[in-house]
Structure formats: C-alpha cells, structure tokens
Amino acid sequence: QVQLVESGGGSVQAGGSLRLSCASFGYTYITYCMGWFRQAPGKEREGVATIYTIGGSTYYADSVKGRFTISQDNTKNTLYLQMNSLKPEDTAMYYCAASSSVYCNSALRTGGFGSYNTYWGQGTQVTVSS
C-alpha cells in the first residue's frame, strides 16, 4: 500500500525555522516529481517547492525562494523541506506529493499535477505567529 507520511510541522514564531519530512513507500508506479504544497484556510492549494527525482532539479514558488530548501534522500525514501525565516503568511497545512508527471515547474503554478497519477500525504500543520 502506498503511503506518504509527513512530519515536522508545528508552531513557531516569525523568523524561526522548521524542517518537514515526508517518508514514502509502496509506490506502484514511477514517480518523477515530488513536491510540497500548502493550503491555508479559505485559499486554494498552492505549490511551494518541487524536485525532479532524476537529477534533482528543484523549483520554488517566488514567495519562498531564498528561504525554503527542498531535498531528497533516496536511501531513506524521504523528502524534506527546510523552512527558514518563516513568516505568518507561511501558515498553512503542508502536503507532500509524489507524481508520475515530469512537469515539476508547472505544478507550482497550478497547485498540483493535473490528471497524472499522484500520491498525497495527509498533511502537517505549520503555524507561524508574529
């Protein structure tokens, strides 16, 4: 059974840091693109950062460039999101995703992978207070 399990969320003051982890296992198809997405109450889901699993090319939303870093550890089947200099507007539920899509960059703009096979985690809450 495929599972994506996120951890590392929590509450932090503005300027603080958090590191999200996403452990994955049980894939039934090849996943070329993994990423982090977030959704705040009353807002649509948005892309935060994605990574092409073959080669490691990374892509970031403009709002997090220079503050967040996405990385993967293939030996542990784990995806990470290091979040520094957090702002109150970063408050949201953060979701990990793994997709058969190769369009990692466009997934940031659309907030997902369209009709491509995609696994989603259950989400982890990040709350940043001012």
Side-chain angles (χ1 to χ4, degrees):
Q1 183 177 354
V2 175
Q3 281 191 304
L4 296 177
V5 182
E6 300 107 329
S7 61
S11 297
V12 64
Q13 288 191 327
S17 298
L18 285 173
R19 188 195 197 200
L20 305 184
S21 298
C22 173
S24 59
F25 47 91
Y27 291 140
T28 59
Y29 53 78
I30 297 174
T31 53
Y32 293 104
C33 185
M34 296 190 70
W36 292 95
F37 298 78
R38 67 187 181 187
Q39 188 168 21
K43 295 186 176 181
E44 292 188 352
R45 186 176 63 205
E46 63 176 354
V48 176
T50 56
I51 184 168
Y52 191 59
T53 59
I54 303 173
S57 296
T58 57
Y59 307 89
Y60 296 93
D62 288 342
S63 59
V64 306
K65 280 181 181 176
R67 300 189 297 122
F68 291 10
T69 302
I70 188 172
S71 62
Q72 60 180 355
D73 185 337
N74 291 330
T75 64
K76 298 180 180 179
N77 291 327
T78 301
L79 183 73
Y80 301 101
L81 184 68
Q82 178 66 44
M83 305 186 294
N84 298 328
S85 302
L86 282 161
K87 304 176 181 180
E89 50 263 43
D90 294 319
T91 295
M93 184 72 78
Y94 283 70
Y95 298 91
C96 169
S99 178
S100 62
S101 169
V102 298
Y103 303 107
C104 300
N105 198 9
S106 63
L108 290 177
R109 298 192 299 272
T110 61
F113 296 99
S115 60
Y116 287 90
N117 290 322
T118 303
Y119 301 112
W120 291 92
Q122 81 288 350
T124 184
Q125 178 67 38
V126 171
T127 303
V128 184
S129 58
S130 57

